[in-house]
Amino acid sequence: VLSALSVPAIAMAEEAAPAAAPASPHTVAYNVGLYSQYIFRGLTQTREDPALQGGVDYTHASGFYAGAWGSNISWLSDGDYYKSSSLELDLYGGFANTIGDTGISYNVGLLQYIYPGRKNPGVKKAETTEIYGSLAYGWLSGKVSAVVSDGAFGYDDADGTTYSELN
């Protein structure tokens, strides 16, 4: 009897429910983590000490994205480049999408590495700007990053330096 009486109430509730609002084309996501160490391009950035990292990302349904990410570091003060520096802040933006129904995706963007702190005299600032582009198909991806700033991670005249990945 209860089942028979509840069916009309369920049907009425379904009819009375308002239509779902369309999904927003904007997405904001964040992340935070504690890691045993920070390794970048095969080199430890924290002298094998733990790293606290976090970031925030904005994406639009069109494929545009922008974000910021940060981590503690020690390599600038460990190597006597900076008197004090313990933060890496990365600002980035770009465009990622797929090429029709091919299953091929691409990503192009700009990435700025910022290292606040007091550098030692005669040392090039570590701030670095890179442009990058990648292609992926299924589990296979390739990416090339190229330095467009005058220096790269404290090295003079490093513009044009590239870093390639195949994963």
Side-chain angles (χ1 to χ4, degrees):
V1 173
L2 290 175
S3 296
L5 294 175
S6 65
V7 171
I10 293 170
M12 289 174 54
E14 288 177 6
E15 291 173 15
S24 173
H26 310 280
T27 303
V28 175
Y30 60 90
N31 60 78
V32 66
L34 179 61
Y35 301 91
S36 59
Q37 67 172 311
Y38 170 22
I39 297 177
F40 175 68
R41 296 182 179 167
L43 301 172
T44 183
Q45 306 296 294
T46 56
R47 196 179 349 125
E48 300 179 0
D49 288 336
L52 178 61
Q53 302 175 346
V56 62
D57 297 300
Y58 164 80
T59 55
H60 187 268
S62 67
F64 171 77
Y65 63 89
W69 179 87
S71 179
N72 62 296
I73 60 163
S74 64
W75 68 272
L76 286 171
S77 53
D78 291 344
D80 289 328
Y81 298 106
Y82 280 45
K83 291 178 184 175
S84 64
S85 179
S86 61
L87 175 67
E88 174 183 327
L89 177 62
D90 302 346
L91 303 176
Y92 50 88
F95 192 82
N97 217 326
T98 57
I99 301 172
D101 294 333
T102 63
I104 299 172
S105 61
Y106 65 90
N107 183 355
V108 293
L110 179 72
L111 171 58
Q112 174 68 52
Y113 299 91
I114 300 169
Y115 300 96
R118 296 179 311 149
K119 68 179 190 63
N120 287 324
V123 173
K124 176 83 174 163
K125 283 189 149 209
E127 277 73 12
T128 302
T129 306
E130 291 182 338
I131 58 171
Y132 56 87
S134 69
L135 287 174
Y137 181 77
W139 55 266
L140 181 65
S141 67
K143 179 179 180 183
V144 175
S145 301
V147 173
V148 294
S149 53
D150 178 43
F153 306 107
Y155 290 96
D156 273 328
D157 302 322
D159 54 320
T161 300
T162 60
Y163 183 82
S164 302
E165 299 177 43
L166 184 60
N167 301 303

